[in-house]
Amino acid sequence: DAGVIQSPRHEVTEMGQEVTLRCKPISGHNSLFWYRQTMMRGLELLIYFNNNVPIDDSGMPEDRFSAKMPNASFSTLKIQPSEPRDSAVYFCASSFERAYEQYFGPGTRLTVT
Amino acid sequence: GENVEQHPSTLSVQEGDSAVIKCTYSDSASNYFPWYKQELGKGPQLIIDIRSNVGEKKDQRIAVTLNKTAKHFSLHITETQPEDSAVYFCAASFSNNNDMRFGAGTRLTVKP
């Protein structure tokens, strides 16, 4: 298996622009997680999907952030409009069973100037 | 909610020595405790995990111990090698709560 796939690996954008991050979970996994990693706050869970349905989005920082999972093999995290404080590494992870044994993708390093 | 504290923040050992990283958690309902290794520029990699019905688990040079009474768990790496150098994260979650909380990380350096 190729593991969790994320794209792009790096994204540099200007403040105010829309950013879309993409994730393909491991085939057969029914849970998908989006995390954000920064030096100041460490790894934070943003949102969790189970069977393509958003279950917990309490970690989404504000309305500028939205996530979708239209099918079992694809999810997006969108930031609109982006701000410099959104600069971070965003990880997608997937698992067979909720929080257990989550496998992370390589991440997308987002820089907002 | 769950709060996970991890110590030390940095750890330097000589190749061949053992390394121990410790974590404490606050929610007594937590029952799943994974450990992740993160190398520079990569995503966290699950290296070992333990569930609350087990006190210790071992996989080759890596072992994890759990003390539910004291609410702490530890990662033990024996016979360390330079390729063990990375940032290690502990985490804790409750099976019905998908909010897995991570520790702040430990940067391990193994000197050849």
Side-chain angles (χ1 to χ4, degrees):
Chain A
D1 197 309
V4 175
I5 298 172
Q6 291 187 247
S7 65
R9 293 294 313 278
H10 302 274
E11 177 80 34
V12 179
T13 191
E14 293 183 347
M15 181 174 62
Q17 297 298 305
E18 177 180 295
V19 175
T20 299
L21 311 182
R22 297 171 175 80
C23 174
K24 175 178 168 55
I26 293 173
S27 177
H29 282 188
N30 62 9
S31 298
L32 184 140
F33 306 80
W34 282 100
Y35 289 89
R36 178 172 66 178
Q37 186 177 40
T38 62
M39 288 296 293
M40 290 297 295
R41 301 175 66 89
L43 268 165
E44 301 175 280
L45 177 66
L46 300 178
I47 187 169
Y48 154 67
F49 292 86
N50 188 50
N51 292 322
N52 311 337
V53 176
I55 303 299
D56 182 359
D57 65 354
S58 59
M60 296 286 260
E62 46 197 277
D63 291 345
R64 298 185 297 105
F65 286 69
S66 63
K68 294 181 179 180
M69 192 165 186
N71 57 62
S73 59
F74 184 67
S75 177
T76 60
L77 178 67
K78 185 177 292 187
I79 308 172
Q80 166 63 20
S82 58
E83 296 182 2
R85 59 190 168 127
D86 301 330
S87 297
V89 181
Y90 291 81
F91 290 104
C92 175
S94 70
S95 73
F96 275 120
E97 182 187 6
R98 297 191 296 238
Y100 295 134
E101 296 188 31
Q102 293 184 31
Y103 291 88
F104 282 72
T108 295
R109 181 174 294 278
L110 173 65
T111 302
V112 183
T113 61
Chain B
E2 179 63 272
N3 182 46
V4 178
E5 294 192 358
Q6 183 172 346
H7 301 279
S9 57
T10 61
L11 179 60
S12 181
V13 299
Q14 207 65 38
E15 182 178 1
D17 288 349
S18 295
V20 180
I21 303 170
K22 299 181 180 181
C23 289
T24 60
Y25 61 98
S26 59
D27 189 345
S28 58
S30 291
N31 61 1
Y32 176 64
F33 308 92
W35 285 89
Y36 285 85
K37 175 184 180 181
Q38 187 175 23
E39 296 175 305
L40 192 62
K42 297 184 178 180
Q45 175 192 4
L46 179 65
I47 56 172
I48 195 168
D49 58 10
I50 192 168
R51 304 195 185 194
S52 61
N53 59 343
V54 175
E56 183 174 358
K57 183 177 179 181
K58 190 174 182 180
D59 182 4
Q60 299 182 341
R61 297 186 297 107
I62 294 174
V64 56
T65 58
L66 171 65
N67 183 327
K68 284 223 75 179
T69 303
K71 291 190 283 189
H72 67 70
F73 56 112
S74 301
L75 177 71
H76 304 252
I77 306 175
T78 59
E79 301 173 20
T80 54
Q81 302 167 4
E83 51 264 39
D84 294 330
S85 296
V87 179
Y88 291 81
F89 293 94
C90 63
S93 75
F94 174 53
S95 62
N96 290 329
N97 177 345
N98 304 291
D99 188 3
M100 189 156 71
R101 297 298 177 101
F102 286 81
T106 296
R107 182 174 298 279
L108 173 65
T109 302
V110 180
K111 299 178 179 179

